[in-house]
Amino acid sequence: MKSNKEIVLSFFEASNKRDWRTIESLVHDDFIRNSSSEPREIKTNRGLITFHKQEAEVFPDLREEVVFAIEEGDLVAVRVHFLGTQRGPLGSFPASGKILDAHFNCFFKVTDGRIKESWVEYDNLNGLVQLGHYKME
């Protein structure tokens, strides 16, 4: 039986491989993703897969590398390195062809061997600056 940390690491591995079937098996049907950034809430494992597919269209060379993961009970905290080239539109922002090289933090709740909930926080302003969509004065 996998530890909660191993389940979360398997999720990132499957995401990098675009292995949607494995992601569906690792995430509860009634999963919920929370964030202070858009999209603020994603519901269901299918909704999460749709989000990741769209992200992979915008950043086709996207890789998310886990820098570290800490497990405590049913919670797993993860620091992730995101690296990808924006080849498609990101909301109202057109493809820039520029690389987004950033870190973000995720917290996962694992219940009955599957991911039940997550909280994801990242620096949107830093991303928009890197991609050339916003200039700092």
Side-chain angles (χ1 to χ4, degrees):
M1 183 174 184
K2 287 185 175 184
S3 70
N4 293 339
K5 181 177 169 180
E6 290 170 328
I7 290 165
V8 170
L9 294 176
S10 294
F11 168 82
F12 281 98
E13 182 181 328
S15 181
N16 281 328
K17 292 179 179 177
R18 314 306 192 249
D19 182 353
W20 312 124
R21 198 174 296 242
T22 296
I23 289 176
E24 187 172 17
S25 74
L26 291 169
V27 177
H28 276 278
D29 295 344
D30 61 347
F31 166 84
I32 186 163
R33 176 189 182 269
N34 307 280
S35 181
S36 61
S37 302
E38 291 298 329
R40 295 190 188 281
E41 187 176 270
I42 297 173
K43 293 185 176 181
T44 77
N45 56 6
R46 297 300 306 155
L48 181 65
I49 290 167
T50 297
F51 172 76
H52 279 274
K53 283 181 177 179
Q54 292 168 343
E55 188 175 57
E57 288 176 13
V58 175
F59 298 95
D61 60 347
L62 169 63
R63 294 282 306 158
E64 292 179 329
E65 178 186 340
V66 173
V67 178
F68 64 81
I70 302 168
E71 178 180 351
E72 184 171 322
D74 62 355
L75 297 176
V76 180
V78 183
R79 176 82 168 160
V80 180
H81 178 223
F82 179 110
L83 185 64
T85 309
Q86 186 196 4
R87 300 285 182 204
L90 183 60
S92 63
F93 299 105
S96 67
K98 294 184 178 182
I99 294 172
L100 177 57
D101 184 348
H103 288 84
F104 64 96
N105 301 309
C106 303
F107 303 89
F108 295 88
K109 182 175 184 176
V110 180
T111 305
D112 300 325
R114 294 173 78 193
I115 298 169
K116 179 75 169 176
E117 191 167 5
S118 72
W119 298 264
V120 180
E121 298 301 332
Y122 47 92
D123 184 351
N124 280 332
L125 180 56
N126 175 46
L128 292 175
V129 169
Q130 284 189 45
L131 295 173
H133 301 304
Y134 185 82
K135 295 189 191 273
M136 298 289 288
E137 300 276 331

